[in-house]
Amino acid sequence: MKMMKAIQIPSKGEKMKLVEIPVPQPEEGQVLLRVEACGVCNGDSMAIKGASPEYPRIPGHEVIGIVEELGEGSTKWKIGERVGIGWHGGNNHVMGLTMDGGYAEYMVAYEDSLSIIPNELSALEAAPLMCAGETTFSALRNSKARPGDLVAVQGIGGLGHLAVQYAKKSGFRTVAISRGSDKENLVRQLGAHHYIDSEKENPAEALQALGGAKVILATAPNAKAISSLINGLGSDSELIIVAGSGEQLELSAMDFLKGPNTVRGSFTGQAKEIQQTINFSVLTDVRPMIETFPLEGANEAYDKMMAASTRFRAVLSISTTNFSTTRL
């Protein structure tokens, strides 16, 4: 029986553990992937906190891998092709939550949930695009903004540093909003035309001084900061929230009426949207800034991600060559 190393959540609330378990076998309509890289995302915390219907569970939903084996009836992919998968695992599954994810040397995936990864992207670069990249790209792509419009990105972290790049490459007048001055040089290098230090000036007033934003993309989970941004919108504009937060927003009816403005959320898409994100990223040279960890360092990577101390996306670099073994 072929064995692999994996990171499992033993049960609800327990710390992740490195284990050696049998390599899973693909079922009908599935493929077996040899995992090259897996991003570490805030969404992984859901499984750790107990949202998975079954434990033990292998987390991970920003996965890049090589098709190693085809399940019965699987015809969409060829062995040896490099593919990626995000949050939506196909057949109403969520990767790393309702089925095992990519914190492992191998994993199975439904063939319809996969996207092709071109050679222009390394596995480590591609992994964060499966969720963080697609989430921000699709939010902007489906927004009211058109080339030349003022678009602001609140929060310059794992999501925000990608959003700034996508906004600039899409032809928007791009504004980055963050606390302190330490990120200003970086975001300007990423393409921001303006930088607003929320410790020195009121972001909403600064946006109005620039003419009012057509779109504000909120990527940092601070409900108070997000709520105040609605006053920075121009006429017939929208505030799009992609940051997960359980805090209540502080909004009044007048916030909507004086625009008129829209406040809405945007969630991560499926294989089609991921493929569009990949294609755009390659065409316009958008890349995530990443910090890599070995599979055995998953707990460290997760802790740094949750503490927002990673610049800017944590990625597990996984090699089956050194670790997999075969046992009878």
Side-chain angles (χ1 to χ4, degrees), residues 46-111:
M46 294 181 63
I48 293 174
K49 293 176 181 178
S52 176
E54 184 180 350
Y55 291 91
R57 175 64 69 211
I58 299 173
H61 62 272
E62 291 184 335
V63 189
I64 305 299
I66 304 297
V67 177
E68 188 94 347
E69 185 179 333
L70 304 178
E72 183 181 352
S74 181
T75 59
K76 188 172 182 179
W77 303 100
K78 297 178 181 179
I79 292 175
E81 287 188 300
R82 189 167 60 144
V83 295
I85 188 171
W87 179 262
H88 299 285
N91 282 32
N92 297 316
H93 279 287
V94 175
M95 293 307 307
L97 190 65
T98 66
M99 64 185 294
D100 284 335
Y103 286 26
E105 293 177 330
Y106 293 89
M107 60 165 273
V108 295
Y110 287 98
E111 62 173 356

Side-chain angles (χ1 to χ4, degrees), residues 33-242:
L33 301 182
R34 173 170 55 83
V35 179
E36 290 189 309
C38 184
V40 180
C41 182
N42 189 274
D44 299 335
S45 65
M46 294 181 63
I48 293 174
K49 293 176 181 178
S52 176
E54 184 180 350
Y55 291 91
R57 175 64 69 211
I58 299 173
H61 62 272
E62 291 184 335
V63 189
I64 305 299
I66 304 297
V67 177
E68 188 94 347
E69 185 179 333
L70 304 178
E72 183 181 352
S74 181
T75 59
K76 188 172 182 179
W77 303 100
K78 297 178 181 179
I79 292 175
E81 287 188 300
R82 189 167 60 144
V83 295
I85 188 171
W87 179 262
H88 299 285
N91 282 32
N92 297 316
H93 279 287
V94 175
M95 293 307 307
L97 190 65
T98 66
M99 64 185 294
D100 284 335
Y103 286 26
E105 293 177 330
Y106 293 89
M107 60 165 273
V108 295
Y110 287 98
E111 62 173 356
D112 291 338
S113 65
L114 301 170
S115 303
I116 192 73
I117 306 298
N119 292 332
E120 290 90 340
L121 284 174
S122 72
L124 295 172
E125 291 173 327
L129 303 183
M130 301 301 100
C131 182
E134 189 282 324
T135 297
T136 51
F137 173 72
S138 291
L140 291 171
R141 181 172 178 267
N142 297 319
S143 73
K144 292 183 176 182
R146 296 295 179 267
D149 285 341
L150 189 71
V151 170
V153 177
Q154 173 259 355
I156 307 302
L159 293 170
H161 89 287
L162 284 165
V164 167
Q165 295 179 71
Y166 287 129
K168 169 62 162 54
K169 301 290 186 176
S170 297
F172 305 139
R173 282 200 300 144
T174 304
V175 184
I177 304 171
S178 190
R179 294 170 55 189
S181 59
D182 60 315
K183 293 181 181 177
E184 181 173 2
N185 289 337
L186 171 64
V187 295
R188 289 189 181 278
Q189 292 173 16
L190 293 176
H193 300 97
H194 305 278
Y195 180 76
I196 298 173
D197 180 353
S198 61
E199 291 183 341
K200 293 182 178 179
E201 55 186 330
N202 182 299
E205 293 176 358
L207 288 173
Q208 288 298 341
L210 292 170
K214 188 67 175 181
V215 169
I216 300 175
L217 189 66
T219 74
N222 184 320
K224 186 174 182 179
I226 292 173
S227 300
S228 67
L229 288 173
I230 195 171
N231 294 315
L233 291 174
S235 177
D236 190 25
S237 301
E238 58 184 346
L239 170 61
I240 306 173
I241 302 170
V242 295

